[in-house]
Amino acid sequence: MEKTVSIHIDGKKLNVQEGKNLLQAAKENNIDIPHLCYHRKLSPTGACRLCIVKINGQKGLIASCTVRAEEGMEVIAFDEELEEARRFILDYLLSEHDESSDGSYMDEFKELVVRYGLDDKKKRKYAPIWKYLGYPSDNSSPVLTYEAAKCIKCFRCIKACDEVQGKNVLSFTKRGIASYITGGFEKWGESECDGCGECIQLCPTGAIVEKPHRDQIMLHQDHKKVKTTCPYCGVGCQLELIVQNGKIVRADGVEGVSPNDGRLCVKGRFGYDYVSHPDRLKVPLIKKGGRFTEAGWDEALDLVAEKFSETIKKHGKRSLAGYASAKTTNEDNYLFMKFVRTVFGNNNVDYCTRLCHASTVTAMLRSLGDGAGSNSIEDYEKSDCILVTGNNMIETHPVTATYVKYAAQRRGARIIIIDPKWTPLVKDSHIWLQPRLGTDVALLNGMIRVIIREELIDRRFIEKRVEGGMKALEELKALTEKYTLEYVEEITGVPAEMMQEAARIYAGARRPLIATGMGYSQQLTGTHNVFCLINMMLITGQIGRKGAGLNPPRGQNNVQGVSDVGASPFTYPGYVPVGDDENRRKVAKIWNVPYRELDPEKGLSTVEIMQAAYRGEIRAMYIMGENPMLTDPNLNHTEEAIKKLDFLVVQDIFHTETTALADVVLPATSFAESEGTFVNSDRRVLRVRKAVDPPGQARQDWEIITDIAKRMGKPLGSYRDESEIWDEIARTSPIFAGISFSRLEKQGIQWPCPSKEHPGTPTLFEERFNTASGLAKLHPVDYAEQTEKADNEYPYILNTGRILYQYHSSTMSRRNVSLNQFANEAYVLMHPDDAKKQGLSNGDKVDISSRRGVIRSITVKISGEVLLGELFMPFHYSEAPVNRLTRDELDPYSKIAPFKLSAVKIVTGS
């Protein structure tokens, strides 16, 4: 336990944690010692000198931010001498400071100026000299402006960039009174700054301010602040949206709240303009004669209900299917799932998890009994070893990456990266293993063999917590025995000694975390890849305690939640199989439907639905917030399948490549116009709150769903608001039983949370695994070559993925000017030797084709980030639909498609 000490500040006795920063201790006890350079997330600087105090037994005036609390400490925070010294310091700082303000930012410095009466210029002793110092302004960044004349050299921005974000882009240039902050060597816009805005949030003076909407923001006028959850990746960052005149004009990170503690990435801070974009869908649309015409809600929903009912009558209840959405709330998805099961009468409901993390979930469910991350995001900060596999987290989960970088840069943690493509985290890594695409099983089996042969296993853990104990280990040992260092190096290209060192580091760590991503899951052998990771983790006992476990960061804001609430062809809410008779009876009672109307047969998964549509077995579809015409594999086949449907309804916030093929398009609300919840990557249920009104006639998804059900004669229930929907979710799913909207008011709660008194579960599997026996299972698996390989006709293997500045099919992210200024063009990465062989230079345009399709006029980027013979493309861009090249062959366990491995050729001069 942390030791508490007693101190006195101005005669007031305080009990505080021993060693706590003295200024922070005062702040937490409502003693308002003035300061500008201090922030609780940063190391103390003592630069502004405003927080000076007197400490009994110590000479002079001491900066309280540089002092640690000790037993018996007696402090004077306010007396005439201290206050006069502070007034002098502020007066001097004012002389170097341009105090003009446009009212678009919070100014801590100005607040102190007013507090000490220096807003009355007659009380100042020093004349302004800032105009004569030649301070520059920097407007080169897409997202911020810097005015050196407003900078007080407090170091907050520099330390925020370095210590919080781990980027170290900012520094001082010049010396003394003429010094100022610079990004990179000179211009912010030419530096490595990625626009996260941490410097903006921590700047106390307005020297660094957001550029977007600055001319519209007047903080002294009426505005409101709304706390909600970010709509982008699965970190679940808490946002404070500033709304003025009915429009979001700024986003800040919420300080002191998990999981982000004020941190944001560029999308979270600057990616909200799509909410008010003029392209938003505002009225229902019905296709008549090949063209969309505007319709009223009654006309549109009556048509939807009529066509769905007609399809059931003509072709049977299993002839319909639905795609739920990882972008919408749990409440929306729960009712969507309920709609498919009770109104359609089948289990043909799935969503994009089948395209991203299904392999991870499948392997974890079979081995551990739960498919979610076992630890908290903040645990990365104190980890001593982080194994990052197929996961470009600096670009895909930037805030999680800040904790990882902190562990490496500040605490000496060793990062092991397994990825065929270079990622920015390699700069902080101890070892980078770069296997050839598709050889991960061989690599991990080789590492397992090293661990077993060198007796780095945790025998006690295996005997107590692994099914079959040492006998199961012997089976794994027998299978991996052939994966010698030499054999694995031949398959993977990874040097034997590096693989061996990585295995030793992971096995010997005290708090190792695995962060596995879609590089591992989006393969035909995706489930086997994750089985191997779990095998290695279990034989070393590296799970079931704080700071040790397996954590797949989810790619979209509510990927975790959609599975949790049962939008799956295989499971009901809480991951109970659809074939579980007892659970179906329980759910039928809650839903007030006849038990026998709930189909006990598994439904079709995402890609299987499209394949069935192609065969004519699925005749009608309801797609909510998904864009399969850009995100599904083998797009040519997907397009043919969708065109064969008798009837398609798409519910979204923008026109997409998929709405173009719809018969009815229904306008829905964005996150900022909705109430509800998301679940993030560490199982944290987080509130989503309405900040602005929806455009036109757009409605929240759950309201549209319930309206259709009612018109089809099968009402889903009577819900007054989202809180009542959540309460029903909690009744159907034991993992949510103790969570309510009222408990989520201040912060999120991590499931499982079985009762109202339960605090939530930061760490899974501390006492038992969630299998029937309570024991984990080893799944020894052999390496198998990929079914599609490079050959003379298609000599390259194409890898696909995400980048920092765009999101999923980019329907949201590309409607933000700030993000597009950073990255708005498709490209293909190519190894220098391959480019030379093809006679290509940077910026050349090429066509890329596979056995399934072709995409044209793609910009070449020559880079050593990829291996010889391998290419990489982001999948976000509609003008370069990379999934026209990928195939819809499926992992037999998880039903995921191999987005990461497609044999292609480059065609030049077309």
Side-chain angles (χ1 to χ4, degrees), residues 29-40:
N29 285 276
N30 298 315
I31 299 173
D32 188 15
I33 300 173
H35 61 88
L36 287 172
C37 68
Y38 174 78
H39 192 281
R40 60 173 184 81

Side-chain angles (χ1 to χ4, degrees), residues 509-709:
R510 294 177 60 195
R511 296 179 305 280
L513 289 169
I514 298 174
T516 183
M518 284 178 273
Y520 259 38
S521 61
Q522 290 179 327
Q523 300 184 32
L524 285 181
T525 56
T527 304
H528 280 190
N529 291 342
V530 183
F531 275 148
C532 287
L533 273 178
I534 295 170
N535 292 343
M536 185 171 70
M537 179 179 67
L538 290 175
I539 67 172
T540 53
Q542 303 290 32
I543 190 171
R545 63 184 187 275
K546 184 177 175 65
L550 175 61
N551 301 277
R554 305 309 190 195
Q556 294 186 58
N557 53 302
N558 201 30
V559 168
Q560 185 64 54
V562 186
S563 288
D564 294 345
V565 301
S568 161
F570 314 129
T571 58
Y572 273 83
Y575 300 95
V576 183
V578 295
D580 187 308
D581 187 73
E582 182 181 348
N583 184 68
R584 279 202 326 283
R585 289 181 186 275
K586 167 192 159 185
V587 173
K589 186 175 181 180
I590 294 170
W591 289 353
N592 194 29
V593 298
Y595 151 70
R596 297 197 178 278
E597 287 190 7
L598 296 181
D599 191 343
E601 298 296 321
K602 291 180 180 179
L604 299 175
S605 66
T606 300
V607 178
E608 288 175 325
I609 288 170
M610 284 300 170
Q611 292 171 340
Y614 184 82
R615 296 191 299 268
E617 296 164 11
I618 295 294
R619 309 302 292 262
M621 280 192 71
Y622 185 3
I623 298 176
M624 177 178 73
E626 292 288 337
N627 188 15
M629 274 305 301
L630 197 59
T631 60
D632 273 22
N634 193 359
L635 279 183
N636 291 329
H637 185 273
T638 298
E639 184 174 6
E640 291 174 16
I642 291 177
K643 286 180 176 178
K644 287 187 176 185
L645 292 170
D646 295 334
F647 190 65
L648 172 64
V649 178
V650 179
Q651 192 166 298
D652 216 317
I653 64 174
F654 291 108
H655 270 303
T656 67
E657 291 72 21
T658 306
T659 64
L661 301 179
D663 296 288
V664 177
V665 177
L666 304 175
T669 55
S670 73
F671 88 109
E673 299 137 7
S674 304
E675 293 281 342
T677 56
F678 297 152
V679 183
N680 78 339
S681 295
D682 67 4
R683 300 167 285 105
R684 200 180 306 260
V685 184
L686 299 157
R687 280 284 275 117
V688 179
R689 295 177 178 87
K690 181 179 177 179
V692 294
D693 291 330
Q697 300 175 35
R699 298 172 65 187
Q700 193 157 342
D701 290 282
W702 71 265
E703 294 174 330
I704 302 171
I705 296 162
T706 55
D707 203 341
I708 297 171

Side-chain angles (χ1 to χ4, degrees), residues 380-401:
Y380 284 109
E381 191 171 58
K382 296 183 179 178
S383 176
D384 60 347
C385 171
I386 302 161
L387 175 59
V388 182
T389 61
N391 178 357
N392 181 9
M393 66 165 60
I394 283 182
E395 297 203 63
T396 59
H397 301 84
V399 170
T400 297

Side-chain angles (χ1 to χ4, degrees), residues 32 54 156 285 327 332 450 469 503 519 558 613 628 649 686 717 727:
D32 188 15
K54 297 175 182 177
R156 268 206 208 172
L285 302 171
K327 301 180 188 71
D332 296 331
V450 169
N558 201 30
V649 178
L686 299 157
D727 290 343

Side-chain angles (χ1 to χ4, degrees), residues 84-129:
E84 185 55 38
R86 290 169 182 146
R87 190 173 290 106
F88 167 82
I89 293 167
L90 284 168
D91 195 355
Y92 186 81
L93 287 173
L94 269 169
S95 71
E96 300 176 11
H97 178 78
D98 176 8
E99 59 188 302
S100 63
S101 173
D102 61 6
S104 68
Y105 54 87
M106 298 300 296
D107 192 337
E108 297 174 42
F109 182 51
K110 186 174 182 178
E111 290 172 5
L112 289 178
V113 167
V114 172
R115 174 175 166 179
Y116 281 87
L118 292 171
D119 52 327
D120 182 352
K121 295 182 180 181
K122 295 177 183 178
K123 295 181 179 180
R124 301 180 189 178
K125 297 180 180 178
Y126 299 101
I129 60 171

